[in-house]
Amino acid sequence: SQELEQSPQSLIVQEGKNLTINCTSSKTLYGLYWYKQKYGEGLIFLMMLQKGGEEKSHEKITAKLDEKKQQSSLHITASQPSHAGIYLCGADTSGTYKYIFGTGTRLKVLA
Amino acid sequence: DAGVIQSPRHEVTEMGQEVTLRCKPISGHNSLFWYRQTMMRGLELLIYFNNNVPIDDSGMPEDRFSAKMPNASFSTLKIQPSEPRDSAVYFCASSLSSGIRETQYFGPGTRLLVL
């Protein structure tokens, strides 16, 4: 079983709609990282969360960390076609350099 | 500022050939990581260098894989001989240090296809 589960696996939304992606860990989270991946561009770092209850925003993307639930959610407000891509969560569950990654959520935004 | 640079961006080779992937980390970063991404297994850490020294190579799949970091600004990942199952996207990432909660910044990746 995956140590880091993402849901949903894929998502298709109409432009302008809000959406949420979840990332749940089976282990303690020392740091939670959100990345966006587009073809040919590698993983683009979005934000890092490290404290329970922490919330960060990057343009129209907001991420929160629920340390007790060992879970993070990524929320996109008023989605645009430019938000399309694969969103990956990565986590430090050992207090070291070793990240584990979720399987990703493929987002498509219809214009 | 330049991010992590990888070359080549695409590589197509035949089974049995040697493949060398290259990476230039972000200047000033002392930790470097090589990852492999496949549909089946997702993103997996292959090897981690700190201050040019390989610290953890437990993710390297076989002896056919080797990695070097001769200086702070250059690393290579070599596959010899290559096999079709090595087909994947290989990413290099770097971070400022190996401390806890250090963000890793990824390069654009090398898409490798072994025929």
Side-chain angles (χ1 to χ4, degrees):
Chain A
S1 62
Q2 284 284 338
E3 291 181 5
L4 206 58
E5 294 275 358
Q6 274 187 249
S7 63
Q9 289 188 337
S10 64
L11 198 52
I12 302 174
V13 299
Q14 204 68 38
E15 182 177 1
K17 295 294 186 185
N18 302 336
L19 62 104
T20 300
I21 298 169
N22 293 304
C23 176
T24 303
S25 173
S26 59
K27 296 185 177 182
T28 300
L29 292 170
Y30 290 90
L32 191 291
Y33 305 81
W34 283 102
Y35 292 87
K36 180 183 175 184
Q37 184 175 16
K38 279 192 163 184
Y39 182 87
E41 293 182 22
L43 277 68
I44 300 165
F45 171 68
L46 296 175
M47 57 195 91
M48 176 187 76
L49 304 165
Q50 55 183 313
K51 298 176 186 174
E54 187 173 16
E55 181 174 321
K56 286 188 177 177
S57 293
H58 172 74
E59 298 176 345
K60 290 187 178 180
I61 302 175
T62 301
K64 300 179 186 179
L65 180 64
D66 186 331
E67 207 167 41
K68 286 183 181 177
K69 291 183 180 177
Q70 295 176 173
Q71 183 179 68
S72 177
S73 59
L74 185 97
H75 185 77
I76 298 177
T77 303
S79 58
Q80 300 169 357
S82 60
H83 287 126
I86 301 171
Y87 289 82
L88 279 164
C89 63
D92 171 5
T93 60
S94 58
T96 68
Y97 54 85
K98 276 196 170 182
Y99 285 22
I100 55 172
F101 285 89
T103 50
T105 296
R106 292 179 178 272
L107 172 64
K108 188 171 183 177
V109 181
L110 303 175
Chain B
D1 287 342
V4 176
I5 298 171
Q6 290 187 247
S7 65
R9 297 289 299 272
H10 302 271
E11 177 82 30
V12 180
T13 191
E14 291 189 345
M15 184 174 65
Q17 296 297 307
E18 177 179 298
V19 175
T20 300
L21 311 180
R22 297 172 177 79
C23 174
K24 177 178 168 56
I26 293 171
S27 178
H29 284 192
N30 70 5
S31 293
L32 184 137
F33 308 82
W34 282 99
Y35 287 88
R36 178 171 68 175
Q37 186 181 43
T38 61
M39 289 292 291
M40 290 297 294
R41 300 174 68 87
L43 204 54
E44 302 174 286
L45 177 65
L46 299 177
I47 187 168
Y48 156 59
F49 290 88
N50 184 245
N51 291 322
N52 313 337
V53 176
I55 303 299
D56 182 357
D57 65 355
S58 59
M60 296 284 263
E62 300 170 34
D63 290 345
R64 298 184 296 107
F65 286 69
S66 62
K68 293 182 180 180
M69 191 164 185
N71 57 62
S73 58
F74 184 65
S75 177
T76 59
L77 178 68
K78 187 177 290 186
I79 308 172
Q80 166 64 19
S82 58
E83 295 183 4
R85 60 195 168 117
D86 301 331
S87 298
V89 182
Y90 290 82
F91 288 106
C92 176
S94 70
S95 66
L96 197 56
S97 75
S98 59
I100 195 170
R101 300 182 182 123
E102 279 290 349
T103 299
Q104 295 179 21
Y105 295 90
F106 284 74
T110 295
R111 291 185 172 271
L112 173 65
L113 178 61
V114 183
L115 302 174

